[in-house]
């Protein structure tokens, strides 16, 4: 049982307060997402009565009561999905990502993407989505590029392209499977651009330019489901910079 509920049972509760407690005990995750008006309507009681119940437990009010339940559910490893909290965290991550981007670096990358040099864009798995988006828009803007989605093609590609080629690589994890290709690319003097969420990526020393996002690594049953919000943010900024160069 949730500790807060156990403590509530030790208090001298009125019949109405016992009903409030029983309601939360029956559906703690769902009830902890209800606002005061919704709970009042569900229990046919006043908001003031609910607040007094929360204060009897040593809490400042109903919101404090809900937050305490969520914390204890989390500690008990019971899932609580609160849309408002998730949205707030996503917005905060988005703002942090924007703030961390260096304008000069983004301008430099945009210049390479819109140059006359051969451009190859790589993104595997879910990273192929922002990679494909960038490639489609650049081609629409008459800045030719080639999309690569299979990692096995990279070593052969970097070994045969011209030395003035630009390789734009998107990889959240930035893991070692790309090392042979990037080592060869650096030996050949290719320009390498890496976008990754891994600040400790072993690929970083081999890159000409790197951009770090704050996307978090996550998997489900061994399948990569990491967020790419930061990746899409970087790509969108580069697209807007490229579109601006189209008009120059």
């Amino acid at each position: 049982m949730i500790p807060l509920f156990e403590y509530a049972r030790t208090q001298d509760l009125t019949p109405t307060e016992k009903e409030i407690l029983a309601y939360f005990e029956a559906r703690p995750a769902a009830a902890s997402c209800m606002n005061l008006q919704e709970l009042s309507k569900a229990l046919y009681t006043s908001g003031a009565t609910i607040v007094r119940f929360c204060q009897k437990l040593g809490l400042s009010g109903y919101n404090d009561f809900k937050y305490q339940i969520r914390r204890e559910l989390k500690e008990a490893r019971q899932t609580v999905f609160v849309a408002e909290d998730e949205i707030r965290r996503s917005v905060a991550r988005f703002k942090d990502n924007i703030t961390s981007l260096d304008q000069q670096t983004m301008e430099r990358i945009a210049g390479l993407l819109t140059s006359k040099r051969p451009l190859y864009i790589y993104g595997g798995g879910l990273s192929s989505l922002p990679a494909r988006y960038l490639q489609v828009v650049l081609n629409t803007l008459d800045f030719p590029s080639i999309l690569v989605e299979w990692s096995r093609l990279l070593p052969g590609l970097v070994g045969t392209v011209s030395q003035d080629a630009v390789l734009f690589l998107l990889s959240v994890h930035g893991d070692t499977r790309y090392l042979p290709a990037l080592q060869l690319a650096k030996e050949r003097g290719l320009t390498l651009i890496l976008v990754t969420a891994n600040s400790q990526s072993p690929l970083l020393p081999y890159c000409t330019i790197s951009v770090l996002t704050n996307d978090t690594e996550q998997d489900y049953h061994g399948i990569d489901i990491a967020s790419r919000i930061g990746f899409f943010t970087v790509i969108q900024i580069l697209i807007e910079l490229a579109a601006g160069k189209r008009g120059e």
Side-chain angles (χ1 to χ4, degrees):
M1 180 181 289
I2 294 176
L4 182 61
F5 296 164
E6 292 181 350
Y7 176 71
R9 283 181 172 275
T10 67
Q11 303 303 299
D12 183 18
L13 302 179
T14 66
T16 300
E17 290 171 341
K18 289 179 181 178
E19 289 181 10
I20 297 172
L21 176 59
Y23 189 87
F24 273 89
E25 287 179 325
R27 54 186 71 77
S32 68
C33 298
M34 299 173 69
N35 60 40
L36 187 57
Q37 291 73 26
E38 291 170 334
L39 184 61
S40 296
K41 185 176 180 180
L43 292 171
Y44 300 99
T45 190
S46 69
T49 299
I50 296 171
V51 170
R52 283 196 296 271
F53 164 72
C54 299
Q55 292 173 337
K56 184 176 285 188
L57 303 182
L59 302 169
S60 61
Y62 179 58
N63 284 336
D64 195 15
F65 176 71
K66 289 195 300 181
Y67 296 150
Q68 181 65 27
I69 292 174
R70 293 174 193 169
R71 281 194 295 269
E72 294 183 3
L73 283 171
K74 185 175 182 180
E75 290 172 1
R77 297 185 178 180
Q78 297 185 41
T79 301
V80 183
F81 177 77
V82 185
E84 183 180 350
D85 290 347
E86 289 299 321
I87 292 171
R88 188 181 296 112
R89 280 194 288 269
S90 293
V91 170
R93 285 197 300 268
F94 173 78
K95 289 181 178 179
D96 290 344
N97 195 64
I98 288 288
T99 303
S100 69
L101 296 176
D102 179 71
Q103 182 176 349
Q104 290 184 336
T105 298
M106 298 298 285
E107 290 278 3
R108 185 182 174 193
I109 295 173
L112 290 167
L113 299 181
T114 57
S115 67
K116 301 290 185 179
R117 298 166 62 178
L119 173 62
Y120 300 87
I121 302 172
Y122 171 81
L126 290 181
S127 293
S128 67
L129 299 176
R132 181 177 291 277
Y133 175 44
L134 175 62
Q135 190 254 352
V136 169
V137 176
L138 286 179
N139 284 354
T140 302
L141 293 172
D142 293 326
F143 297 121
S145 60
I146 296 174
L147 178 67
V148 182
E149 297 179 280
W150 295 337
S151 60
R152 293 181 180 179
L153 293 179
L154 285 177
L157 175 70
V158 300
T160 56
V161 297
S162 60
Q163 288 186 305
D164 65 336
V166 177
L167 176 61
F168 187 101
L169 185 88
L170 291 135
S171 172
V172 164
H173 309 288
D175 52 65
T176 55
R177 60 179 156 162
Y178 302 114
L179 266 180
L182 266 64
Q183 288 170 338
L184 177 58
K186 186 171 184 178
E187 288 174 8
R188 296 198 63 226
L190 306 184
T191 298
L192 303 174
I193 303 168
L194 173 67
V195 180
T196 184
N198 182 3
S199 62
Q200 304 299 317
S201 171
L203 307 180
L204 293 173
Y206 300 94
C207 298
T208 311
I209 308 173
S210 59
V211 176
L212 292 174
T213 72
N214 61 355
D215 294 298
T216 55
E217 297 186 36
Q218 188 177 2
D219 66 78
Y220 180 74
H221 291 180
I223 299 175
D224 175 22
I225 58 169
S227 165
R228 264 71 175 180
I229 293 176
F231 273 36
F232 275 105
T233 302
V234 169
I235 295 304
Q236 186 60 47
I237 292 173
L238 291 174
I239 284 174
E240 291 176 10
L241 290 173
K245 292 182 180 296
R246 182 73 276 171
E248 292 179 357

mmCIF file of all heavy atoms in Angstrom, residues 194-213:
data_model
loop_
_atom_site.group_PDB
_atom_site.id
_atom_site.type_symbol
_atom_site.label_atom_id
_atom_site.label_comp_id
_atom_site.label_asym_id
_atom_site.label_seq_id
_atom_site.Cartn_x
_atom_site.Cartn_y
_atom_site.Cartn_z
ATOM 1 N N LEU A 194 28.598 15.150 -37.818
ATOM 2 C CA LEU A 194 27.888 14.192 -36.974
ATOM 3 C C LEU A 194 26.879 14.906 -36.082
ATOM 4 O O LEU A 194 27.219 15.883 -35.415
ATOM 5 C CB LEU A 194 28.872 13.424 -36.089
ATOM 6 C CG LEU A 194 28.261 12.499 -35.028
ATOM 7 C CD1 LEU A 194 27.523 11.325 -35.691
ATOM 8 C CD2 LEU A 194 29.328 11.990 -34.066
ATOM 9 N N VAL A 195 25.643 14.399 -36.083
ATOM 10 C CA VAL A 195 24.636 14.838 -35.127
ATOM 11 C C VAL A 195 24.342 13.639 -34.233
ATOM 12 O O VAL A 195 23.939 12.580 -34.717
ATOM 13 C CB VAL A 195 23.344 15.305 -35.826
ATOM 14 C CG1 VAL A 195 22.310 15.748 -34.776
ATOM 15 C CG2 VAL A 195 23.633 16.447 -36.797
ATOM 16 N N THR A 196 24.549 13.786 -32.934
ATOM 17 C CA THR A 196 24.369 12.677 -32.002
ATOM 18 C C THR A 196 23.903 13.188 -30.650
ATOM 19 O O THR A 196 24.056 14.380 -30.333
ATOM 20 C CB THR A 196 25.686 11.885 -31.827
ATOM 21 O OG1 THR A 196 25.461 10.752 -30.984
ATOM 22 C CG2 THR A 196 26.769 12.757 -31.204
ATOM 23 N N ALA A 197 23.326 12.279 -29.855
ATOM 24 C CA ALA A 197 22.929 12.624 -28.492
ATOM 25 C C ALA A 197 23.938 12.100 -27.478
ATOM 26 O O ALA A 197 23.782 12.304 -26.277
ATOM 27 C CB ALA A 197 21.541 12.052 -28.193
ATOM 28 N N ASN A 198 24.979 11.416 -27.967
ATOM 29 C CA ASN A 198 25.977 10.799 -27.098
ATOM 30 C C ASN A 198 27.219 11.685 -26.995
ATOM 31 O O ASN A 198 28.044 11.725 -27.906
ATOM 32 C CB ASN A 198 26.355 9.421 -27.656
ATOM 33 C CG ASN A 198 27.353 8.689 -26.768
ATOM 34 O OD1 ASN A 198 27.733 9.177 -25.701
ATOM 35 N ND2 ASN A 198 27.782 7.516 -27.203
ATOM 36 N N SER A 199 27.342 12.390 -25.870
ATOM 37 C CA SER A 199 28.483 13.297 -25.683
ATOM 38 C C SER A 199 29.799 12.549 -25.528
ATOM 39 O O SER A 199 30.875 13.150 -25.623
ATOM 40 C CB SER A 199 28.257 14.190 -24.460
ATOM 41 O OG SER A 199 28.151 13.401 -23.278
ATOM 42 N N GLN A 200 29.736 11.222 -25.291
ATOM 43 C CA GLN A 200 30.934 10.401 -25.148
ATOM 44 C C GLN A 200 31.151 9.511 -26.372
ATOM 45 O O GLN A 200 31.903 8.537 -26.306
ATOM 46 C CB GLN A 200 30.811 9.521 -23.895
ATOM 47 C CG GLN A 200 30.563 10.282 -22.611
ATOM 48 C CD GLN A 200 31.683 11.248 -22.285
ATOM 49 O OE1 GLN A 200 32.858 10.911 -22.429
ATOM 50 N NE2 GLN A 200 31.337 12.444 -21.847
ATOM 51 N N SER A 201 30.521 9.838 -27.472
ATOM 52 C CA SER A 201 30.603 9.000 -28.660
ATOM 53 C C SER A 201 32.045 8.842 -29.137
ATOM 54 O O SER A 201 32.786 9.826 -29.246
ATOM 55 C CB SER A 201 29.777 9.605 -29.803
ATOM 56 O OG SER A 201 30.022 8.912 -31.019
ATOM 57 N N PRO A 202 32.463 7.613 -29.432
ATOM 58 C CA PRO A 202 33.820 7.381 -29.947
ATOM 59 C C PRO A 202 34.001 7.919 -31.359
ATOM 60 O O PRO A 202 35.118 7.942 -31.871
ATOM 61 C CB PRO A 202 33.941 5.853 -29.917
ATOM 62 C CG PRO A 202 32.540 5.351 -30.044
ATOM 63 C CD PRO A 202 31.707 6.346 -29.299
ATOM 64 N N LEU A 203 32.920 8.384 -31.969
ATOM 65 C CA LEU A 203 32.995 8.910 -33.338
ATOM 66 C C LEU A 203 33.449 10.369 -33.367
ATOM 67 O O LEU A 203 33.949 10.843 -34.403
ATOM 68 C CB LEU A 203 31.618 8.812 -34.012
ATOM 69 C CG LEU A 203 30.918 7.451 -34.001
ATOM 70 C CD1 LEU A 203 29.578 7.560 -34.723
ATOM 71 C CD2 LEU A 203 31.786 6.374 -34.627
ATOM 72 N N LEU A 204 33.296 11.075 -32.266
ATOM 73 C CA LEU A 204 33.562 12.516 -32.236
ATOM 74 C C LEU A 204 34.964 12.906 -32.707
ATOM 75 O O LEU A 204 35.108 13.881 -33.454
ATOM 76 C CB LEU A 204 33.297 13.064 -30.828
ATOM 77 C CG LEU A 204 31.835 13.039 -30.374
ATOM 78 C CD1 LEU A 204 31.715 13.433 -28.907
ATOM 79 C CD2 LEU A 204 30.997 13.967 -31.236
ATOM 80 N N PRO A 205 36.026 12.183 -32.324
ATOM 81 C CA PRO A 205 37.372 12.589 -32.763
ATOM 82 C C PRO A 205 37.578 12.512 -34.280
ATOM 83 O O PRO A 205 38.519 13.117 -34.808
ATOM 84 C CB PRO A 205 38.293 11.591 -32.044
ATOM 85 C CG PRO A 205 37.501 11.112 -30.874
ATOM 86 C CD PRO A 205 36.095 11.065 -31.366
ATOM 87 N N TYR A 206 36.726 11.778 -34.972
ATOM 88 C CA TYR A 206 36.890 11.590 -36.407
ATOM 89 C C TYR A 206 36.041 12.559 -37.231
ATOM 90 O O TYR A 206 36.072 12.514 -38.461
ATOM 91 C CB TYR A 206 36.541 10.150 -36.793
ATOM 92 C CG TYR A 206 37.417 9.141 -36.102
ATOM 93 C CD1 TYR A 206 37.008 8.548 -34.905
ATOM 94 C CD2 TYR A 206 38.669 8.803 -36.613
ATOM 95 C CE1 TYR A 206 37.824 7.641 -34.242
ATOM 96 C CE2 TYR A 206 39.489 7.902 -35.952
ATOM 97 C CZ TYR A 206 39.060 7.322 -34.772
ATOM 98 O OH TYR A 206 39.874 6.429 -34.113
ATOM 99 N N CYS A 207 35.311 13.435 -36.549
ATOM 100 C CA CYS A 207 34.388 14.325 -37.249
ATOM 101 C C CYS A 207 34.956 15.724 -37.431
ATOM 102 O O CYS A 207 35.651 16.242 -36.567
ATOM 103 C CB CYS A 207 33.070 14.403 -36.486
ATOM 104 S SG CYS A 207 32.250 12.796 -36.387
ATOM 105 N N THR A 208 34.639 16.312 -38.562
ATOM 106 C CA THR A 208 35.027 17.692 -38.832
ATOM 107 C C THR A 208 34.186 18.648 -38.004
ATOM 108 O O THR A 208 34.678 19.620 -37.436
ATOM 109 C CB THR A 208 34.845 18.013 -40.328
ATOM 110 O OG1 THR A 208 35.444 16.997 -41.117
ATOM 111 C CG2 THR A 208 35.457 19.362 -40.672
ATOM 112 N N ILE A 209 32.890 18.374 -37.946
ATOM 113 C CA ILE A 209 31.935 19.178 -37.175
ATOM 114 C C ILE A 209 30.990 18.213 -36.452
ATOM 115 O O ILE A 209 30.564 17.214 -37.030
ATOM 116 C CB ILE A 209 31.104 20.109 -38.076
ATOM 117 C CG1 ILE A 209 31.983 20.944 -38.999
ATOM 118 C CG2 ILE A 209 30.224 21.032 -37.232
ATOM 119 C CD1 ILE A 209 31.209 21.748 -40.022
ATOM 120 N N SER A 210 30.666 18.514 -35.216
ATOM 121 C CA SER A 210 29.704 17.689 -34.484
ATOM 122 C C SER A 210 28.682 18.573 -33.787
ATOM 123 O O SER A 210 28.999 19.680 -33.354
ATOM 124 C CB SER A 210 30.411 16.796 -33.451
ATOM 125 O OG SER A 210 31.123 17.589 -32.521
ATOM 126 N N VAL A 211 27.456 18.070 -33.714
ATOM 127 C CA VAL A 211 26.368 18.765 -33.019
ATOM 128 C C VAL A 211 25.765 17.785 -32.026
ATOM 129 O O VAL A 211 25.376 16.677 -32.394
ATOM 130 C CB VAL A 211 25.282 19.247 -34.004
ATOM 131 C CG1 VAL A 211 24.128 19.887 -33.242
ATOM 132 C CG2 VAL A 211 25.862 20.223 -35.015
ATOM 133 N N LEU A 212 25.691 18.200 -30.758
ATOM 134 C CA LEU A 212 25.124 17.353 -29.710
ATOM 135 C C LEU A 212 23.707 17.811 -29.386
ATOM 136 O O LEU A 212 23.478 19.001 -29.170
ATOM 137 C CB LEU A 212 25.978 17.405 -28.454
ATOM 138 C CG LEU A 212 27.370 16.764 -28.537
ATOM 139 C CD1 LEU A 212 28.144 17.036 -27.249
ATOM 140 C CD2 LEU A 212 27.263 15.270 -28.782
ATOM 141 N N THR A 213 22.776 16.864 -29.361
ATOM 142 C CA THR A 213 21.407 17.173 -28.946
ATOM 143 C C THR A 213 21.158 16.534 -27.581
ATOM 144 O O THR A 213 21.964 15.727 -27.111
ATOM 145 C CB THR A 213 20.376 16.620 -29.951
ATOM 146 O OG1 THR A 213 20.331 15.184 -29.838
ATOM 147 C CG2 THR A 213 20.754 17.008 -31.377
#
